[in-house]
Amino acid sequence: MSHVSRRPDWNLPGRRVTPFAVHSRRREFLRQMGFAGAGLVSALHGFGAEPAPSGAPFVPARRHPDFNPKLDITPEKLSTTYNNYYEFSTTKDRVHRLVDKFRVDPWTLRVEGLCDNPSNLDLRELLQFPAEERVYRFRCVEAWSMVVPWTGFPLARLIEKAKPKPEAKFVKFTTVMRPEEMPGMVRLSDYPWPYTEGLRMDEAMHPLVLVATGLYGKPMPKQNGAPVRIVVPWKYGYKSIKSIVRIEFVKDQPATLWESLSATEYPFESNVDPGVPHPRWSQATERDLATGDRIPTLKYNGYGDQVAKLYRRG
Ligand code: MTE
């Protein structure tokens, strides 16, 4: 992401991130319990289950035949070492070197706001949602792209469970905020942390939106948003928020980090559209991360058949 050099007007002293005290160390036996669980689940499913970075049992899911396009999958090495995760660094190939201290177990995802059935989900509960593997195109607003296999389940399943009230019109997502484990947050202390994103309720319910817990049949790497992130394949990559701790049903369109930084460059809706240039560069083509080739950008990142109906107005 090309970040904004000018100090925007939300830059008030009260917004500054104060480093927190370092959290107390987690007890190691939790991790060991996670490993034991992984062994059991693996035996039951006949898969080689791996412990997530969190130690939670992760089971690779079968690839869904409807989400297995005839496209070359980007090498794992590339998509796990070329990352946008500003809480760690703005330098893509540094992010994966800075995640060691980031603790992703225990983890609680709070589902709350305007709903009848709020809940606190831990990793084990999240991993109990029936998961599948889907190969999606992923298009960053910076005009590069990749093709990766995510493991996860439709966000709609989680929303249905929460029973949102009729007045809930948007879903807001929030990333964990731990400056003591995330060096980029301290360096970018003027950013309006935590990282937040949002979708309209009908977008959030669309079956393409994933709650992802894995990548390449393995637990989600920390640099890609462990232990759980959102993936919205027809929108620019910044909508696919990493390491979420809160999903909230709200009445009004939520402020998002990137929109707060620059609403003209990173608007809320942000559907991939080759016809609408970014104020500072064209969006007509994108650089394939694997080959380096410039390829045409597709409207809705190629998912128009499924999602265009969400945007038919009038
Ligand atoms: N989520 C958080 N919390 N912080 C970030 O900096 N970057 C976004 C998105 N989600 C970002 C984030 C952007 S700009 C992109 S392109 C994708 O994550 C990159 O995902 P990847 O590193 O898995 O390719």
Side-chain angles (χ1 to χ4, degrees):
M1 231 45 196
S2 178
H3 63 284
V4 193
S5 49
R6 190 179 57 83
R7 284 197 166 185
D9 48 17
W10 45 259
N11 176 27
L12 304 168
R15 293 266 199 184
R16 288 184 171 274
V17 178
T18 329
F20 299 162
V22 176
H23 288 184
S24 59
R25 281 180 64 84
R26 309 292 185 199
R27 285 170 298 173
E28 205 51 35
F29 79 86
L30 275 180
R31 178 176 299 274
Q32 282 161 9
M33 275 172 63
F35 277 101
L40 180 65
V41 178
S42 143
L44 289 174
H45 286 74
F47 278 117
E50 301 197 26
S54 57
F58 171 88
V59 180
R62 297 197 186 282
R63 186 168 298 173
H64 196 297
D66 293 349
F67 301 100
N68 193 16
K70 289 193 179 57
L71 294 170
D72 290 334
I73 292 183
T74 303
E76 180 180 348
K77 179 91 181 139
L78 256 181
S79 27
T80 55
T81 56
Y82 185 89
N83 300 104
N84 271 334
Y85 203 163
Y86 272 30
E87 286 87 334
F88 292 93
S89 175
T90 55
T91 307
K92 294 179 182 25
D93 62 359
R94 275 178 55 82
V95 173
H96 70 107
R97 286 179 246 239
L98 293 169
V99 295
D100 280 359
K101 273 208 328 195
F102 181 35
R103 301 186 68 90
V104 293
D105 189 20
W107 195 269
T108 305
L109 173 59
R110 291 168 56 189
V111 183
E112 61 184 9
L114 300 168
C115 64
D116 291 331
N117 190 24
S119 60
N120 281 340
L121 298 167
D122 67 21
L123 267 186
R124 285 150 196 83
E125 288 166 312
L126 280 169
L127 291 168
Q128 274 162 17
F129 281 83
E132 56 192 69
E133 184 175 76
R134 297 185 181 187
V135 177
Y136 279 168
R137 284 181 291 273
F138 189 92
R139 169 60 158 86
C140 178
V141 72
E142 297 165 334
W144 55 264
S145 66
M146 59 182 185
V147 177
V148 294
W150 303 104
T151 303
F153 60 88
L155 174 63
R157 295 291 88 75
L158 206 147
I159 296 180
E160 285 155 4
K161 196 169 167 277
K163 298 194 172 43
K165 296 181 189 293
E167 57 269 34
K169 299 288 184 237
F170 293 87
V171 185
K172 178 181 173 186
F173 308 94
T174 306
T175 293
V176 74
M177 175 143 145
R178 293 204 212 123
E180 72 279 13
E181 296 174 18
M182 302 169 126
M185 294 188 77
V186 182
R187 290 174 69 110
L188 296 174
S189 62
D190 289 342
Y191 271 43
W193 305 112
Y195 196 106
T196 48
E197 258 306 333
L199 294 170
R200 289 183 344 215
M201 184 61 93
D202 60 338
E203 294 176 324
M205 285 296 290
H206 193 282
L208 281 176
V209 182
L210 283 187
V211 177
T213 52
L215 192 58
Y216 296 92
K218 299 175 188 165
M220 188 69 73
K222 292 181 183 179
Q223 61 272 27
N224 293 90
V228 56
R229 75 181 289 179
I230 299 295
V231 180
V232 193
W234 73 94
K235 292 180 181 280
Y236 290 120
Y238 61 90
K239 301 294 287 185
S240 292
I241 178 173
K242 297 177 170 182
S243 308
I244 52 168
V245 288
R246 188 157 72 221
I247 293 182
E248 200 180 343
F249 301 100
V250 295
K251 191 158 119 334
D252 301 315
Q253 182 175 306
T256 70
L257 178 131
W258 280 108
E259 200 191 16
S260 309
L261 285 167
S262 178
T264 52
E265 297 186 290
Y266 310 111
F268 183 85
E269 189 174 82
S270 13
N271 294 327
V272 175
D273 189 343
V276 178
H278 182 277
R280 290 183 281 136
W281 58 84
S282 164
Q283 295 289 26
T285 63
E286 63 206 43
R287 178 173 54 87
D288 179 327
L289 214 53
T291 62
D293 294 345
R294 289 220 78 89
I295 55 176
T297 288
L298 305 172
K299 187 150 164 100
Y300 300 116
N301 201 23
Y303 298 97
D305 286 350
Q306 290 102 304
V307 302
K309 58 175 181 290
L310 293 174
Y311 308 103
R312 266 179 216 125
R313 296 188 169 104

